[in-house]
Amino acid sequence: MFDGVHSGHRQLLAQLVDKAKALNGEAVVLTFWPHPRMVLNQDKDQLRFLSSPEERTILFSQLGIDHLLLVPFTKELSNLSSEEFISQFLVDKIGIHHLLVGYNHRFGKGRTHSYNEYCELAEKYDFGISIVEAVLTDGMQTSSTDIRNHLLAGHIEKANQILGYLYLLNGRVMGGQQLGRRIGYPTANIEVSESYKLIPPDGVYACKVHVEGKLFGGMLNIGYRPTVNHNIDHRSLEVHIFDFNRDIYSEEIRIEFISRVRDEMKFENVNALIEQLKKDEVVIRTIVNEA
């Protein structure tokens, strides 16, 4: 799945690109969508992804991958054995010359085959094979699960360290209540189309904002805006973009999370909220400038 395309994935992909150059070939990544657990009804409502298919595509393109094959995952596909998958997809469709696999990767029905058995299949179908060992971060193996846990706990810096880049979120700017503009902090209200995208916990964040082809700093609030919002069922993502005053309604926007600054708070009145926002801005501008 390459969820997150984290630092462990990146080491494998870097070796893939190097191997492709050495063989005068092309670097090909094959991945699936939807997630197998969504198709096989394995706790699919609990799934939260680090990256949408579109975000993964962007991340792959930044790493020198020549071709990305996004294979629709189906129940029929889940019943293929390792050999059937290798024969039908890697050999017949791709024309594989060399296969790189992660140290703990298994494919095929039941995920029963080991690297040694893949080596036998490589010899049978006449392609090279090599394994990429685990990548360590602070002595720990990189893991999409660990990254998710850090993000859900609000430990953004730790998640970013394992990812190898700033955690990102894409969305579209939607109409809001315009309260931010009235109190001197206009915000872009972000709608995330991917329902399975992992959104960090409620709070105020320092972030970078990509909009209209340019990069800005920003302060992001995730939550229910308890000081001004009586619709407690609606969780919102709103970003105040520093030094920016254009109307970007319906524009695509990308948020890169730097750090979580504080919890979301309920203030006695709007004036108290404004005073806190001023303090947040000073702190967050410093964080953004140092990031």
Side-chain angles (χ1 to χ4, degrees), residues 204-215:
V204 176
Y205 294 81
C207 64
K208 295 182 180 180
V209 184
H210 294 259
V211 61
E212 295 186 331
K214 297 181 179 180
L215 179 64

Side-chain angles (χ1 to χ4, degrees), residues 20-258:
K21 291 178 180 177
L23 295 173
N24 194 30
E26 296 171 306
V28 181
V29 168
L30 186 150
T31 185
F32 301 114
W33 190 258
H35 192 286
R37 284 171 57 187
M38 296 168 69
V39 175
L40 302 176
N41 293 317
Q42 298 173 343
D43 300 323
K44 65 178 183 179
D45 293 335
Q46 300 178 23
L47 288 176
R48 292 296 179 267
F49 297 124
L50 303 174
S51 52
S52 67
E54 292 77 14
E55 289 165 351
R56 280 189 293 162
T57 300
I58 293 170
L59 292 167
F60 283 130
S61 69
Q62 294 170 348
L63 299 173
I65 302 303
D66 296 306
H67 303 284
L68 174 63
L69 301 183
L70 189 61
V71 177
F73 191 86
T74 63
K75 289 185 178 180
E76 291 75 20
L77 182 65
S78 74
N79 286 318
L80 294 180
S81 67
S82 295
E83 181 166 359
E84 288 171 331
F85 181 80
I86 288 173
S87 173
Q88 293 178 27
F89 282 86
L90 305 188
V91 176
D92 293 344
K93 292 185 182 297
I94 297 177
I96 188 171
H97 288 281
H98 194 93
L99 174 66
L100 274 76
V101 295
Y103 71 99
N104 63 348
H105 183 69
R106 301 287 185 272
F107 49 68
K109 184 177 182 179
R111 298 164 60 90
T112 55
H113 283 184
S114 68
Y115 178 69
N116 289 336
E117 289 164 310
Y118 294 152
C119 289
E120 295 173 3
L121 292 171
E123 183 175 357
K124 177 177 179 179
Y125 289 100
D126 192 28
F127 60 85
I129 186 170
S130 53
I131 192 168
V132 178
E133 298 298 338
V135 175
L136 302 181
T137 302
D138 286 346
M140 302 290 289
Q141 293 180 2
T142 57
S143 159
S144 296
T145 299
D146 287 343
I147 296 167
R148 289 189 199 97
N149 290 337
H150 285 307
L151 289 171
L152 290 171
H155 302 155
I156 306 300
E157 295 97 328
K158 187 65 177 178
N160 289 341
Q161 183 180 1
I162 303 175
L163 279 169
Y165 61 91
L166 299 181
Y167 184 64
L168 59 89
L169 180 152
N170 290 328
R172 184 177 296 276
V173 178
M174 306 301 290
Q177 298 177 349
Q178 304 297 318
L179 175 66
R181 187 173 301 279
R182 294 197 295 272
I183 65 175
Y185 283 91
T187 60
N189 187 40
I190 305 168
E191 180 181 83
V192 180
S193 59
E194 177 52 70
S195 61
Y196 291 99
K197 175 72 175 181
L198 189 154
I199 297 175
D202 296 352
V204 176
Y205 294 81
C207 64
K208 295 182 180 180
V209 184
H210 294 259
V211 61
E212 295 186 331
K214 297 181 179 180
L215 179 64
F216 300 88
M219 46 196 283
L220 173 75
N221 186 83
I222 300 177
Y224 298 89
R225 303 184 304 162
T227 305
V228 299
N229 188 12
H230 301 295
N231 182 12
I232 60 173
D233 293 330
H234 179 66
R235 189 179 189 224
S236 65
L237 289 81
E238 293 183 284
V239 62
H240 171 68
I241 307 172
F242 296 147
D243 309 312
F244 184 86
N245 60 4
R246 292 174 58 85
D247 181 3
I248 52 172
Y249 177 72
S250 79
E251 292 284 342
E252 293 288 337
I253 191 170
R254 179 186 301 168
I255 303 295
E256 294 182 350
F257 290 79
I258 302 172

